[in-house]
Amino acid sequence: PARVATVSEDALDGFAFAAAGVGGASRDGCGSKNSVDWSRELAPAGGSAAAAAASLGLRTSRDFRASLSSRYASPEASVAAECAPAPNSTTDEAQDQEKDVFVIPELPYGQRLTVNICTTWGDQHYVGLTGLELFDEQGRCITVRNPSAQVSANPRSVNDLQGYGADPRTADKLVDGCHNTCSDMHSWLAPFARGQLHTVDVQLDGPVRLGMLRVWNYNKSRVHAARGARHVNVALDERV
């Protein structure tokens, strides 16, 4: 890293700049309230302010003082200048920011709801839910006529694993109306692998205008609560 010498503005004329090994020194060896930070080797020990100015391509020590003062007397101004966008890039950056803005749609309309679970609350092997509650724009609960046929998941459930086969924790339980529960009879549990898709699809009876979605997390026990969903993506008719 560059070695820093602290130079008093009122001691520039005739001052010997020796950046090597110098820190916080003025002509009398003390700091100055008007001192500024200099992060560059200006001239060997024994040089003058005029020599230092010449090394920077400046004609006089007065030019040198003006340059030093304008560049380092106001750190805030220097930072602002460095962070300011190029004049010709303002329009492009504004357009890029508009593209990055994500707007949550109000009352989206559709028939197929897809919930993709990206992460859990810590469990690395299983993910689960106890319910999905859907409400229309009037606040009325949206029901599903045939959950076994209209609700599916990928992975389906823990029944996909070896050693299982008749576990009751299947996806159709997510819309059975019993959500505030610890019971296996009213929850869904499936294998989890980070970076893979873990989706729940609900095919509604018909197109609806969705007013609210409430997700109930897996709640079998305090320890098993880590299997609940943490980050999810929700789409209605494949529109996020």
Side-chain angles (χ1 to χ4, degrees):
R3 287 167 289 190
V4 176
T6 304
V7 182
S8 176
E9 284 190 80
D10 55 5
L12 284 174
D13 289 322
F15 186 82
F17 291 92
V22 177
S26 62
R27 183 197 299 264
D28 55 2
C30 301
S32 169
K33 64 180 180 180
N34 295 322
S35 62
V36 293
D37 289 334
W38 183 250
S39 58
R40 176 175 180 183
E41 292 187 6
L42 301 179
S48 64
S55 70
L56 293 177
L58 303 176
R59 293 182 179 180
T60 66
S61 59
R62 180 178 300 175
D63 295 334
F64 173 69
R65 178 189 286 108
S67 175
L68 183 64
S69 177
S70 64
R71 291 183 60 189
Y72 296 99
S74 177
E76 295 83 0
S78 298
V79 172
E82 291 178 2
C83 297
N88 296 332
S89 63
T90 304
T91 304
D92 294 339
E93 290 188 0
Q95 293 177 350
D96 292 340
Q97 290 177 358
E98 290 179 0
K99 293 178 181 179
D100 293 338
V101 172
F102 173 74
V103 179
I104 299 177
E106 292 186 18
L107 302 175
Y109 184 79
Q111 184 172 357
R112 181 187 177 188
L113 178 75
T114 303
V115 178
N116 179 30
I117 303 173
C118 305
T119 63
T120 69
W121 281 100
D123 197 295
Q124 300 181 17
H125 305 289
Y126 297 96
V127 62
L129 301 172
T130 60
L132 293 174
E133 276 189 294
L134 292 84
F135 301 87
D136 64 15
E137 75 275 21
Q138 301 296 327
R140 296 171 298 198
C141 186
I142 301 173
T143 60
V144 176
R145 186 178 298 112
N146 187 356
S148 298
Q150 294 175 240
V151 183
S152 60
N154 181 30
R156 292 184 307 158
S157 68
V158 288
N159 290 316
D160 287 350
L161 299 174
Q162 186 176 1
Y164 290 86
D167 194 284
R169 292 170 290 186
T170 52
D172 58 293
K173 307 301 195 308
L174 296 176
V175 294
D176 65 0
C178 185
H179 309 309
N180 188 12
T181 179
C182 300
S183 172
D184 286 351
M185 302 303 297
H186 301 284
S187 59
W188 166 73
L189 187 69
F192 178 81
R194 191 175 183 86
Q196 303 297 317
L197 290 177
H198 310 87
T199 59
V200 176
D201 288 305
V202 181
Q203 189 73 24
L204 302 176
D205 297 339
V208 298
R209 196 166 294 282
L210 187 63
M212 187 177 75
L213 169 66
R214 180 180 291 152
V215 178
W216 292 81
N217 257 334
Y218 195 75
N219 192 40
K220 182 175 182 178
S221 68
R222 184 175 181 179
V223 174
H224 291 146
R227 295 176 174 177
R230 184 176 184 182
H231 297 104
V232 303
N233 292 328
V234 180
L236 189 62
D237 285 352
E238 300 184 357
R239 294 190 299 272
V240 176

